[in-house]
PDB file of all heavy atoms in Angstrom:
ATOM      1  N   ALA A 346       6.437  -2.757  29.005  1.00  0.00           N
ATOM      2  CA  ALA A 346       7.217  -2.617  27.777  1.00  0.00           C
ATOM      3  C   ALA A 346       6.584  -3.424  26.638  1.00  0.00           C
ATOM      4  O   ALA A 346       6.515  -2.988  25.470  1.00  0.00           O
ATOM      5  CB  ALA A 346       8.641  -3.128  28.012  1.00  0.00           C
ATOM      6  N   THR A 347       6.012  -4.585  26.873  1.00  0.00           N
ATOM      7  CA  THR A 347       5.339  -5.427  25.933  1.00  0.00           C
ATOM      8  C   THR A 347       4.000  -4.693  25.452  1.00  0.00           C
ATOM      9  O   THR A 347       3.774  -4.659  24.262  1.00  0.00           O
ATOM     10  CB  THR A 347       5.012  -6.780  26.479  1.00  0.00           C
ATOM     11  OG1 THR A 347       6.201  -7.444  26.882  1.00  0.00           O
ATOM     12  CG2 THR A 347       4.249  -7.623  25.434  1.00  0.00           C
ATOM     13  N   MET A 348       3.287  -4.145  26.365  1.00  0.00           N
ATOM     14  CA  MET A 348       2.038  -3.460  26.056  1.00  0.00           C
ATOM     15  C   MET A 348       2.273  -2.299  25.028  1.00  0.00           C
ATOM     16  O   MET A 348       1.442  -2.117  24.140  1.00  0.00           O
ATOM     17  CB  MET A 348       1.352  -2.861  27.311  1.00  0.00           C
ATOM     18  CG  MET A 348       0.753  -3.829  28.219  1.00  0.00           C
ATOM     19  SD  MET A 348       0.052  -2.985  29.717  1.00  0.00           S
ATOM     20  CE  MET A 348      -1.243  -2.005  28.964  1.00  0.00           C
ATOM     21  N   TYR A 349       3.401  -1.645  25.196  1.00  0.00           N
ATOM     22  CA  TYR A 349       3.653  -0.440  24.363  1.00  0.00           C
ATOM     23  C   TYR A 349       4.809  -0.643  23.401  1.00  0.00           C
ATOM     24  O   TYR A 349       5.388   0.355  22.903  1.00  0.00           O
ATOM     25  CB  TYR A 349       3.919   0.789  25.271  1.00  0.00           C
ATOM     26  CG  TYR A 349       2.701   1.213  26.070  1.00  0.00           C
ATOM     27  CD1 TYR A 349       2.468   0.646  27.388  1.00  0.00           C
ATOM     28  CD2 TYR A 349       1.776   2.072  25.601  1.00  0.00           C
ATOM     29  CE1 TYR A 349       1.342   1.023  28.076  1.00  0.00           C
ATOM     30  CE2 TYR A 349       0.645   2.383  26.342  1.00  0.00           C
ATOM     31  CZ  TYR A 349       0.416   1.872  27.564  1.00  0.00           C
ATOM     32  OH  TYR A 349      -0.666   2.231  28.292  1.00  0.00           O
ATOM     33  N   SER A 350       5.096  -1.848  23.104  1.00  0.00           N
ATOM     34  CA  SER A 350       6.205  -2.167  22.206  1.00  0.00           C
ATOM     35  C   SER A 350       5.928  -1.683  20.797  1.00  0.00           C
ATOM     36  O   SER A 350       4.804  -1.762  20.292  1.00  0.00           O
ATOM     37  CB  SER A 350       6.523  -3.702  22.136  1.00  0.00           C
ATOM     38  OG  SER A 350       5.466  -4.363  21.518  1.00  0.00           O
ATOM     39  N   PRO A 351       6.926  -1.083  20.125  1.00  0.00           N
ATOM     40  CA  PRO A 351       6.694  -0.590  18.775  1.00  0.00           C
ATOM     41  C   PRO A 351       6.135  -1.623  17.814  1.00  0.00           C
ATOM     42  O   PRO A 351       5.235  -1.297  17.009  1.00  0.00           O
ATOM     43  CB  PRO A 351       8.068  -0.064  18.327  1.00  0.00           C
ATOM     44  CG  PRO A 351       8.735   0.314  19.613  1.00  0.00           C
ATOM     45  CD  PRO A 351       8.252  -0.757  20.604  1.00  0.00           C
ATOM     46  N   ALA A 352       6.694  -2.851  17.855  1.00  0.00           N
ATOM     47  CA  ALA A 352       6.271  -3.858  16.879  1.00  0.00           C
ATOM     48  C   ALA A 352       4.762  -4.177  17.109  1.00  0.00           C
ATOM     49  O   ALA A 352       4.003  -4.321  16.054  1.00  0.00           O
ATOM     50  CB  ALA A 352       7.063  -5.114  17.102  1.00  0.00           C
ATOM     51  N   GLN A 353       4.258  -4.338  18.345  1.00  0.00           N
ATOM     52  CA  GLN A 353       2.909  -4.687  18.573  1.00  0.00           C
ATOM     53  C   GLN A 353       1.962  -3.472  18.214  1.00  0.00           C
ATOM     54  O   GLN A 353       0.953  -3.672  17.595  1.00  0.00           O
ATOM     55  CB  GLN A 353       2.723  -5.052  20.060  1.00  0.00           C
ATOM     56  CG  GLN A 353       1.338  -5.395  20.439  1.00  0.00           C
ATOM     57  CD  GLN A 353       1.245  -6.028  21.790  1.00  0.00           C
ATOM     58  OE1 GLN A 353       2.047  -6.982  22.096  1.00  0.00           O
ATOM     59  NE2 GLN A 353       0.345  -5.598  22.638  1.00  0.00           N
ATOM     60  N   VAL A 354       2.331  -2.313  18.628  1.00  0.00           N
ATOM     61  CA  VAL A 354       1.519  -1.108  18.337  1.00  0.00           C
ATOM     62  C   VAL A 354       1.442  -0.853  16.834  1.00  0.00           C
ATOM     63  O   VAL A 354       0.327  -0.603  16.313  1.00  0.00           O
ATOM     64  CB  VAL A 354       2.089   0.131  19.055  1.00  0.00           C
ATOM     65  CG1 VAL A 354       1.322   1.359  18.583  1.00  0.00           C
ATOM     66  CG2 VAL A 354       1.974  -0.001  20.540  1.00  0.00           C
ATOM     67  N   ALA A 355       2.569  -1.038  16.114  1.00  0.00           N
ATOM     68  CA  ALA A 355       2.571  -0.754  14.738  1.00  0.00           C
ATOM     69  C   ALA A 355       1.718  -1.692  13.898  1.00  0.00           C
ATOM     70  O   ALA A 355       1.034  -1.271  12.907  1.00  0.00           O
ATOM     71  CB  ALA A 355       4.082  -0.860  14.194  1.00  0.00           C
ATOM     72  N   ARG A 356       1.650  -2.959  14.353  1.00  0.00           N
ATOM     73  CA  ARG A 356       0.776  -3.957  13.612  1.00  0.00           C
ATOM     74  C   ARG A 356      -0.672  -3.474  13.741  1.00  0.00           C
ATOM     75  O   ARG A 356      -1.423  -3.522  12.689  1.00  0.00           O
ATOM     76  CB  ARG A 356       0.924  -5.352  14.208  1.00  0.00           C
ATOM     77  CG  ARG A 356       2.205  -6.045  13.794  1.00  0.00           C
ATOM     78  CD  ARG A 356       2.159  -7.524  14.143  1.00  0.00           C
ATOM     79  NE  ARG A 356       2.020  -7.792  15.595  1.00  0.00           N
ATOM     80  CZ  ARG A 356       3.076  -7.878  16.372  1.00  0.00           C
ATOM     81  NH1 ARG A 356       4.245  -7.803  15.937  1.00  0.00           N
ATOM     82  NH2 ARG A 356       2.921  -8.097  17.669  1.00  0.00           N
ATOM     83  N   GLU A 357      -1.101  -3.032  14.868  1.00  0.00           N
ATOM     84  CA  GLU A 357      -2.420  -2.554  15.012  1.00  0.00           C
ATOM     85  C   GLU A 357      -2.663  -1.266  14.273  1.00  0.00           C
ATOM     86  O   GLU A 357      -3.682  -1.082  13.578  1.00  0.00           O
ATOM     87  CB  GLU A 357      -2.762  -2.351  16.531  1.00  0.00           C
ATOM     88  CG  GLU A 357      -4.228  -2.009  16.774  1.00  0.00           C
ATOM     89  CD  GLU A 357      -4.514  -1.883  18.310  1.00  0.00           C
ATOM     90  OE1 GLU A 357      -3.587  -2.156  19.084  1.00  0.00           O
ATOM     91  OE2 GLU A 357      -5.624  -1.477  18.659  1.00  0.00           O
ATOM     92  N   TYR A 358      -1.727  -0.355  14.369  1.00  0.00           N
ATOM     93  CA  TYR A 358      -1.843   0.975  13.752  1.00  0.00           C
ATOM     94  C   TYR A 358      -1.977   0.827  12.217  1.00  0.00           C
ATOM     95  O   TYR A 358      -2.907   1.353  11.594  1.00  0.00           O
ATOM     96  CB  TYR A 358      -0.615   1.795  14.097  1.00  0.00           C
ATOM     97  CG  TYR A 358      -0.699   3.271  13.769  1.00  0.00           C
ATOM     98  CD1 TYR A 358      -1.157   4.202  14.665  1.00  0.00           C
ATOM     99  CD2 TYR A 358      -0.277   3.784  12.509  1.00  0.00           C
ATOM    100  CE1 TYR A 358      -1.243   5.565  14.361  1.00  0.00           C
ATOM    101  CE2 TYR A 358      -0.336   5.109  12.192  1.00  0.00           C
ATOM    102  CZ  TYR A 358      -0.814   6.009  13.101  1.00  0.00           C
ATOM    103  OH  TYR A 358      -0.885   7.316  12.834  1.00  0.00           O
ATOM    104  N   PHE A 359      -1.018   0.157  11.557  1.00  0.00           N
ATOM    105  CA  PHE A 359      -1.083   0.057  10.097  1.00  0.00           C
ATOM    106  C   PHE A 359      -2.168  -0.929   9.666  1.00  0.00           C
ATOM    107  O   PHE A 359      -2.641  -0.794   8.536  1.00  0.00           O
ATOM    108  CB  PHE A 359       0.313  -0.371   9.589  1.00  0.00           C
ATOM    109  CG  PHE A 359       1.361   0.736   9.675  1.00  0.00           C
ATOM    110  CD1 PHE A 359       2.264   0.761  10.664  1.00  0.00           C
ATOM    111  CD2 PHE A 359       1.329   1.719   8.708  1.00  0.00           C
ATOM    112  CE1 PHE A 359       3.147   1.798  10.784  1.00  0.00           C
ATOM    113  CE2 PHE A 359       2.235   2.816   8.798  1.00  0.00           C
ATOM    114  CZ  PHE A 359       3.178   2.803   9.813  1.00  0.00           C
ATOM    115  N   GLY A 360      -2.605  -1.744  10.549  1.00  0.00           N
ATOM    116  CA  GLY A 360      -3.735  -2.610  10.215  1.00  0.00           C
ATOM    117  C   GLY A 360      -5.012  -1.773   9.980  1.00  0.00           C
ATOM    118  O   GLY A 360      -5.781  -2.025   9.111  1.00  0.00           O
ATOM    119  N   HIS A 361      -5.194  -0.796  10.934  1.00  0.00           N
ATOM    120  CA  HIS A 361      -6.327   0.158  10.771  1.00  0.00           C
ATOM    121  C   HIS A 361      -6.249   0.954   9.481  1.00  0.00           C
ATOM    122  O   HIS A 361      -7.223   1.174   8.783  1.00  0.00           O
ATOM    123  CB  HIS A 361      -6.478   1.022  11.972  1.00  0.00           C
ATOM    124  CG  HIS A 361      -7.024   0.345  13.177  1.00  0.00           C
ATOM    125  ND1 HIS A 361      -8.172  -0.431  13.162  1.00  0.00           N
ATOM    126  CD2 HIS A 361      -6.578   0.274  14.470  1.00  0.00           C
ATOM    127  CE1 HIS A 361      -8.435  -0.859  14.392  1.00  0.00           C
ATOM    128  NE2 HIS A 361      -7.442  -0.461  15.164  1.00  0.00           N
ATOM    129  N   LEU A 362      -5.027   1.432   9.157  1.00  0.00           N
ATOM    130  CA  LEU A 362      -4.839   2.228   7.909  1.00  0.00           C
ATOM    131  C   LEU A 362      -5.124   1.362   6.716  1.00  0.00           C
ATOM    132  O   LEU A 362      -5.872   1.846   5.777  1.00  0.00           O
ATOM    133  CB  LEU A 362      -3.412   2.753   7.864  1.00  0.00           C
ATOM    134  CG  LEU A 362      -2.953   3.739   8.960  1.00  0.00           C
ATOM    135  CD1 LEU A 362      -1.560   4.261   8.618  1.00  0.00           C
ATOM    136  CD2 LEU A 362      -3.919   4.838   9.090  1.00  0.00           C
TER     137      LEU A 362
END
Side-chain angles (χ1 to χ4, degrees):
T347 300
M348 287 178 66
Y349 295 90
S350 69
Q353 181 168 310
V354 172
R356 283 195 296 271
E357 186 177 356
Y358 191 91
F359 286 100
H361 285 308
L362 296 187

